[in-house]
Amino acid sequence: MSTKQKRYFLTEEEIPTQWYNIQADMVNKPLPPINPATKEALKPEDLFPIFAEELARQELDQEHAWVDIPEEVRDMYKYYRSTPLVRAYGLEEALGTPAHIYFKNESVSPVGSHKLNSALAQAYYCKQQGVTNVTTETGAGQWGAALSYAARVFGLEAAVYQVKISYEQKPYRRSIMQTYGAQVTASPSMSTRAGKDILTKDPMNQGSLGTAISEAIELAVNTPNCKYTLGSVLSHVTLHQTIIGLEAEKQMQKTGEYPDIVIGCFGGGSNFGGISFPFMRHNILEGKQTRFIAAEPASCPKLTRGVFQYDFGDVAGYTPLLPMYTLGHNFMPANIHAGGLRYHGAGVIVSQLLKDKLMEAVDIKQLESFEAGVLFAKAEGIIPAPESSHAIAATIKEALKCKETGEEKVILFNLSGHGLIDMAAYDQYFAGNLTNYEVSDEDVRKNIAELEKVI
Amino acid sequence: MSTKQKRYFLTEEEIPTQWYNIQADMVNKPLPPINPATKEALKPEDLFPIFAEELARQELDQEHAWVDIPEEVRDMYKYYRSTPLVRAYGLEEALGTPAHIYFKNESVSPVGSHKLNSALAQAYYCKQQGVTNVTTETGAGQWGAALSYAARVFGLEAAVYQVKISYEQKPYRRSIMQTYGAQVTASPSMSTRAGKDILTKDPMNQGSLGTAISEAIELAVNTPNCKYTLGSVLSHVTLHQTIIGLEAEKQMQKTGEYPDIVIGCFGGGSNFGGISFPFMRHNILEGKQTRFIAAEPASCPKLTRGVFQYDFGDVAGYTPLLPMYTLGHNFMPANIHAGGLRYHGAGVIVSQLLKDKLMEAVDIKQLESFEAGVLFAKAEGIIPAPESSHAIAATIKEALKCKETGEEKVILFNLSGHGLIDMAAYDQYFAGNLTNYEVSDEDVRKNIAELEKVI
């Protein structure tokens, strides 16, 4: 560790009061989500049965670049924001790189990750509309913990479907959700038709985010006064997460530097979009040349090996069809510990941006991610979530390139969450029990081939 | 939870640059520690074989009220300090009390507790003296994690003896220590004479802080260039922890209020002393009437049911004799989940203050502590460490008294750490598997009777 560690904060007055909607500034707008029944472009009203109305409107809004953050949400943001922007001198020294590395530390939120930024917003809009119950899915449990917390804040009942493999690997995230008063069910479960269909075919099914989403949606549409909420992928979730990048932008000004590279780990895209989009706006509007790198797990490589095509967001096909980079909604990701990244597709905004080469993607193997996580813990004193370690690994790659070339590039990455609930995974890593879970070309082809039937 | 939540911080310039040594201001100074061999009052030199010299001097310093914090330690403090002072509107609303409740949130440190405040100082002074290896004991693992982190910062090798019951109950704190590069051994172990003596008599012995201290001291004195470090009890540890209360004092000024009651949980006294002594100084010097309440576990009641007498700080009798409230150094505390509070004695300063009625003590049963912890998590969104929940329980008692009387008292407590590594304990609580572990009068009498032989 370095005693030169330096943190940058914003004053309460400097904390942004609006989220940034990059759709308004994109030259090529994302293609519209499609109603699978009518094959027509989705209207906000089509989403009202599932989502709070304001969230449905935000989802499809391609006009307004700036969206006011409701005062009630800002009040709750103040409880943990601004989050620190940290100059990672320790990591720089450990790598011997001339690069200047910064990270935005979202792990300081009361639930330990960035997920709360959108959970508070979604719970607020539900409450405002008179909703009493919310459902959701969660992988590693970061989103579920955040939604449980946010539901508690706004007096809603929360029901969470947690991917079974994570429910078993990370029992303490379940305990956290329960401490906040949420009901937690391992998915696939026998409580929904979607879950039953899977379990009757495959009783040992370990679950996936796609399956848990199906279950949560099914519960929401069958429960009075209940709405579904989602932790990533969708555009309104990413919108809320732009608070990360908007703060980081102001904090970078205080450092006197501007990022050459911005990096985020990638599950559905909300954390990556959250840190990236406010900076990408300057690429789009002012011709800045910052590079944006999404770090996805090599075992779930939708950005680096998937196809850009309309697909369902869930396994059962309850969602609208989304134009996305996808491995096919039946792709069953390996049981990596970065449960939050085990999702077959990418959000529609990010997918369009990748197609248009406004961003890049890199795949990180599980062992490489843990190696990076341990190096970071020793260098900076914070144990990262396995998801965030993917961003760290990508950062290390770039920083080592700078070491070769001697370039003093400025690299900013998002530390999306801490790994204190993931210590069992670290134990497994130290014991040499983790593997890389390679995905064969055949696996990728097979699921993508099935997509032809979708639309 | 309340959307009125409010946090108070200090600017970097406002962070205190000195620790406060209450011994200088006490009218009745603590009695001196005694060398068990010579029966003479201890001099700093007597402690040099065990502790870094500067720490030994701090231990016995009754003259200087203010001690400069070394710049290298302040640099590391800046990485997480100031910690927030929070007005607990959510807890107030949940209790319906007119009291104004504040808490100092030490859980935001990178290792999740206040322990880092002293670990950094101890590791620094060791490094400065050319020490290469440090040993220590830990209960729940908060101190061990902090020392492992601090050793990493200053380039020292750390060996930690963790109380066996905690090593098994809380495996993930062990993983955290290992991630920072420390060597962790369950205590009692066969690696020391002290451990062997216990295990040969009682192979199923679950350990205690007193035993782990013996092992760590033994390793330190038998290892070249190695010093022992301690997480609580001793006066120099409490000195370092006064950064908590000194910050809180300045932060309370920003609220426009001054505490009527200050509360801390109590294991050896450093967290309690850390939050209390800077305020107690105004009682001593200016006649303020603030009450100070130490919240100890009912299963380890040295303050409420122990005796004030010279006793050893450890089971094997390796330490000097300390004038303390004690249950006898052979007292084996029950296996409560608040592992950090399982210690038979109280520090010499706190013991003198209690004897002189400058502070009070209250005992909290295990179930009451968890009930308080869950209420706090639901009201404030932060899951507290089981140790800290004792302070919360004591705060709730006082806040409910205010509800009866209608008094708007200002209560400040220290949230010494978060409970994210203690979720297994919460699970046990929710499952109804926890008990209160009452201590019989006979148990207390028996161990105290043995003390007659000590001096």
Side-chain angles (χ1 to χ4, degrees), chain B residues 207-278:
Chain B
S208 69
L209 282 168
T211 301
I213 291 172
S214 296
E215 294 207 273
I217 292 179
E218 193 180 319
L219 181 64
V221 297
N222 292 321
T223 305
N225 219 9
C226 181
K227 295 294 169 197
Y228 168 67
T229 63
L230 185 79
S232 187
V233 185
L234 292 182
S235 302
H236 69 271
V237 184
T238 311
L239 172 74
H240 307 150
Q241 294 296 353
T242 58
I243 187 75
I244 303 171
L246 292 166
E247 279 187 1
E249 192 188 346
K250 291 191 180 184
Q251 288 165 310
M252 286 301 303
Q253 280 167 13
K254 293 183 191 239
T255 72
E257 305 201 289
Y258 189 88
D260 297 302
I261 305 174
V262 177
I263 296 173
C265 64
F266 196 95
S270 72
N271 143 61
F272 170 78
I275 184 91
S276 295
F277 292 172

Side-chain angles (χ1 to χ4, degrees), chain A residues 1 5 7 76 78-81 149 152 172 175 179-180 378 380-381 418 420-421 424 427 430, chain B residues 1 5 7 76 78-79 81 149 152 172 175 179-180 378 380-381 418 420-421 423-424 427 430:
Chain A
M1 272 179 262
Q5 286 167 329
R7 299 190 301 169
M76 293 310 298
K78 277 184 207 153
Y79 198 50
Y80 63 100
R81 309 205 68 89
Y149 176 107
R152 180 92 210 157
Y172 301 146
S175 318
T179 304
Y180 290 135
K378 288 189 165 146
E380 293 293 328
H418 65 62
L420 294 180
I421 309 296
D427 273 0
F430 290 134
Chain B
M1 273 180 261
Q5 286 166 330
R7 298 189 302 169
M76 292 311 297
K78 277 184 207 153
Y79 199 50
R81 311 204 67 89
Y149 176 107
R152 180 92 209 157
Y172 299 146
S175 319
T179 304
Y180 290 134
K378 288 190 166 145
E380 293 293 329
H418 66 60
L420 293 181
I421 309 295
M423 293 316 299
D427 273 359
F430 289 134

Side-chain angles (χ1 to χ4, degrees), chain A residues 9 51 65 118 170 193 204 206 239 283 285 340 349 393 408 424:
Chain A
F9 287 99
F51 294 111
S118 184
K170 302 173 200 288
R193 188 176 62 73
M204 299 302 285
Q206 292 292 289
L239 172 74
N283 278 26
L285 300 180
I349 299 174
E408 271 192 22

Side-chain angles (χ1 to χ4, degrees), chain A residues 1-7 12 72 75-82 86-87 103 105 108 110-112 148-150 152-154 169 171-176 178-181 373-374 376-383 418 420-421 423-424 426-427 430, chain B residues 1-7 12 72 75-82 86-87 103 105 108 110-112 148-150 152-154 169 171-176 178-181 373-374 376-383 418 420-421 423-424 426-427 430:
Chain A
M1 272 179 262
S2 170
T3 51
K4 285 201 291 176
Q5 286 167 329
K6 179 105 182 113
R7 299 190 301 169
E12 207 165 295
E72 290 84 345
D75 282 345
M76 293 310 298
Y77 277 179
K78 277 184 207 153
Y79 198 50
Y80 63 100
R81 309 205 68 89
S82 63
V86 185
R87 172 78 183 267
F103 63 93
N105 185 0
V108 302
V111 298
S148 303
Y149 176 107
R152 180 92 210 157
V153 168
F154 292 109
Q169 274 178 347
Y172 301 146
R173 280 253 170 67
R174 167 176 52 71
S175 318
I176 292 171
Q178 288 169 335
T179 304
Y180 290 135
V374 171
F376 181 79
K378 288 189 165 146
E380 293 293 328
I382 302 167
I383 297 175
H418 65 62
L420 294 180
I421 309 296
M423 293 315 298
Y426 279 88
D427 273 0
F430 290 134
Chain B
M1 273 180 261
S2 170
T3 50
K4 285 200 291 177
Q5 286 166 330
K6 180 103 181 115
R7 298 189 302 169
E12 208 165 296
E72 290 84 346
D75 282 344
M76 292 311 297
Y77 277 179
K78 277 184 207 153
Y79 199 50
Y80 63 101
R81 311 204 67 89
S82 63
V86 185
R87 173 77 183 268
F103 63 92
N105 185 2
V108 301
V111 297
S148 303
Y149 176 107
R152 180 92 209 157
V153 168
F154 292 108
Q169 274 177 348
Y172 299 146
R173 280 252 172 66
R174 168 177 52 71
S175 319
I176 291 171
Q178 288 170 336
T179 304
Y180 290 134
V374 172
F376 181 79
K378 288 190 166 145
E380 293 293 329
I382 302 167
I383 297 176
H418 66 60
L420 293 181
I421 309 295
M423 293 316 299
Y426 279 87
D427 273 359
F430 289 134

Side-chain angles (χ1 to χ4, degrees), chain A residues 134-157:
Chain A
V134 286
T135 72
T136 199
E137 81 297 328
T138 196
Q142 285 189 340
W143 167 249
L147 198 268
S148 303
Y149 176 107
R152 180 92 210 157
V153 168
F154 292 109
L156 305 170
E157 295 294 323

